[in-house]
Structure formats: structure tokens, C-alpha cells
């Protein structure tokens, strides 16, 4: 069951190894790899947090506001990019036994996509995040971005 403290592991400073497809919708596209740094801090006594990721390779930064809805027991993850200055539609979901899955709807390259974020391998020293898109409403998924978080010393 999810709780307001599911994302407490993320508070602090991180080194992030990114792997992402050069074309998010093409399963045959190449993968590119690049480093980033991330800082996350709690809000609302842990029932929310905000992070900023700095990705010099992309000449971009991103921010995520995570909010725990106490009534539904679910989290909304709200992403914004410095490239566009816009807030993307949220993904919503929960953690079960240390594994978080979050879903939402968006568009990419003019196509409607179902979005899935997965948080796994969560510990005080590291975590894994991955993003996948579906063009068939969640029938099949294409993982297009993976981040491996390692605690910065």
C-alpha cells in the first residue's frame, strides 16, 4: 500500500546515468547514454516532494512535483521541462512492496501515447526509473528512457 513517505528515499543529491532512445516511438532506434545530477527535497512533511534534474548533454533541466493524495492513496507525478516551459500531463499511481507504477496519457510527435513510469530497485543508495510509451492503450509498451540513480557523496 502506498504511503506519504514512498518517495523519502529520493530526498537529497544524486548522480544519474541516463539511457534513452533517440526516437521514443521506434523500437529499432539507437540508445544514447549521458550523465546528469539530481536534487530532491521534501514538502508537506513528506507527502510531496520536488526535484530538479540537470542534463547538460540535452542543454536542459527538468523538474518533478510529486503529490500524495491522502484520500485515494495514490501519487501524481507532474513533470516540467526547461526546454518547453510547460507542465506535462501527470502520471498517477502507487507503490506496492517497493515497486512504483504510474500511468497517464500524453502526446508525443503528434501521436496519442499512454505513459508508464516505473520506480524499482529502491534503496538509500540507489534507484531505477524507467519510462515507456504505448500506442495501443497499454497493450504493448516500448521502454524509451531509463535512469539509474546513485547517491552522491
Amino acid at each position: 500500500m502506498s504511503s506519504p513517505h514512498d518517495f523519502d528515499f529520493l530526498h537529497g543529491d544524486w548522480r544519474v546515468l541516463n539511457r534513452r532512445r533517440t526516437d521514443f516511438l521506434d523500437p529499432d532506434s539507437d540508445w544514447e547514454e549521458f550523465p546528469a545530477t539530481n536534487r530532491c527535497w521534501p514538502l508537506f512533511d513528506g507527502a510531496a516532494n520536488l526535484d530538479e534534474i540537470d542534463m547538460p548533454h540535452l542543454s536542459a533541466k527538468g523538474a518533478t512535483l510529486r503529490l500524495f493524495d491522502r484520500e485515494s492513496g495514490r501519487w501524481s507525478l507532474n513533470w516540467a521541462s526547461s526546454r518547453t516551459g510547460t507542465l506535462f500531463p501527470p502520471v498517477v499511481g502507487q507503490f506496492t512492496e517497493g515497486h512504483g507504477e504510474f500511468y497517464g496519457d500524453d502526446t508525443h510527435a503528434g501521436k496519442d501515447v499512454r505513459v508508464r513510469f516505473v520506480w524499482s530497485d529502491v534503496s538509500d543508495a540507489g534507484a531505477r526509473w524507467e519510462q515507456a510509451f504505448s500506442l495501443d492503450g497499454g497493450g504493448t509498451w516500448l521502454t524509451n528512457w531509463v535512469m539509474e540513480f546513485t547517491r552522491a557523496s
Side-chain angles (χ1 to χ4, degrees), residues 48-66:
N49 67 48
L50 181 65
D51 76 8
E52 181 180 52
I53 188 165
D54 185 6
M55 300 173 284
H57 173 76
L58 301 177
S59 300
K61 293 184 179 188
T64 304
L65 173 63
R66 296 175 190 85

Side-chain angles (χ1 to χ4, degrees), residues 123-145:
S123 75
D124 289 338
R128 176 185 172 92
W129 171 90
E130 70 179 54
Q131 171 182 275
F133 286 174
S134 175
L135 293 171
D136 60 8
T140 58
W141 293 96
L142 176 62
T143 298
N144 53 39
W145 199 327

